[in-house]
Amino acid sequence: QVQLVDAGGGSVQAGGSLRLSCVVFGYAYSSMSIAWFRQGPGKEREGVAFITSSGSTTSYADSVKDRVTISQDNAKNTVYLQMNSLKPEDTAMYYCAARYGSRSFPLRPSEWPYWGQGTQVTVSS
């Protein structure tokens, strides 16, 4: 059984920073790739960042590249999303997702079987 608990969202002003966390419960953590998705009001869910189980490969959406960093702490079964220079258009519900073994970033949400409950990020101008 795999369970994801994401947290760390909040309300910030444009230019601010937030660090989201995703704790993965389950023995399969070491075999899983983790991604962050987001879904803004009236928008489809989109991929934001991705990290392989080994941490050797990361990938970012063009809209957030150079502003966000995905990282992992294997001792804590936790993946982080550090977001800097936040913009109002970053406002969305952010979800972490997990799947077994990927070398690249599957962008379709349907390709990710495990999801956190979501954490809201609101950026005001």
Side-chain angles (χ1 to χ4, degrees):
Q1 185 71 17
V2 178
Q3 183 181 2
L4 282 66
V5 178
D6 42 31
S11 297
V12 297
Q13 291 190 329
S17 299
L18 284 172
R19 189 177 78 159
L20 308 184
S21 63
C22 174
V23 181
V24 181
F25 295 94
Y27 68 94
Y29 170 78
S30 61
S31 302
M32 309 199 85
S33 299
I34 306 295
W36 286 95
F37 286 78
R38 68 184 182 185
Q39 188 165 16
K43 298 181 180 179
E44 294 187 351
R45 194 168 296 191
E46 63 173 352
V48 175
F50 162 86
I51 188 167
T52 53
S53 56
S54 67
S56 61
T57 300
T58 57
S59 182
Y60 300 94
D62 289 342
S63 59
V64 300
K65 197 173 294 184
D66 298 328
R67 297 191 296 119
V68 306
T69 303
I70 190 170
S71 62
Q72 61 187 31
D73 183 339
N74 291 337
K76 297 181 179 180
N77 283 20
T78 301
V79 172
Y80 300 99
L81 186 70
Q82 177 68 45
M83 303 191 295
N84 301 320
S85 302
L86 283 163
K87 304 176 181 180
E89 50 263 44
D90 294 318
T91 294
M93 185 71 80
Y94 284 71
Y95 302 88
C96 64
R99 57 172 284 154
Y100 289 101
S102 292
R103 295 184 179 181
S104 60
F105 192 173
L107 293 176
R108 291 181 297 183
S110 61
E111 296 182 88
W112 294 82
Y114 304 104
W115 290 86
Q117 79 282 5
T119 185
Q120 177 68 37
V121 172
T122 302
V123 185
S124 58
S125 58

